[in-house]
Amino acid sequence: MTRRLVVARPKVAQVMAQTASDNVYMIGVNHSLRYTDSRTLAYYEITIDESAARLAL
């Protein structure tokens, strides 16, 4: 896909991919393609009741 992108869109200067932190195989593939880690995303879940309690509502 990267090769196709280079041919189809030669002006593209940056490509970003998102991979789950536990997907070590895909991370290995990305690193072998010289992708670098640029940021980490974190997702949190909380119930409305827990949120209200923390905000003392």
Side-chain angles (χ1 to χ4, degrees):
M1 189 167 148
T2 304
R3 287 184 186 130
R4 288 182 184 176
L5 179 62
V6 169
V7 171
R9 308 275 182 175
K11 292 183 180 180
V12 170
Q14 184 178 39
V15 175
M16 297 182 79
Q18 183 174 331
T19 306
S21 61
D22 62 347
N23 190 345
V24 295
Y25 300 107
M26 193 63 217
I27 291 170
V29 169
N30 288 341
H31 287 173
S32 72
L33 294 171
R34 299 194 182 177
Y35 281 59
T36 58
D37 300 333
S38 63
R39 64 185 73 159
T40 300
L41 297 174
Y43 296 96
Y44 300 93
E45 290 185 23
I46 188 170
T47 66
I48 292 172
D49 292 338
E50 289 172 318
S51 181
R54 289 178 187 221
L55 295 171
L57 297 177

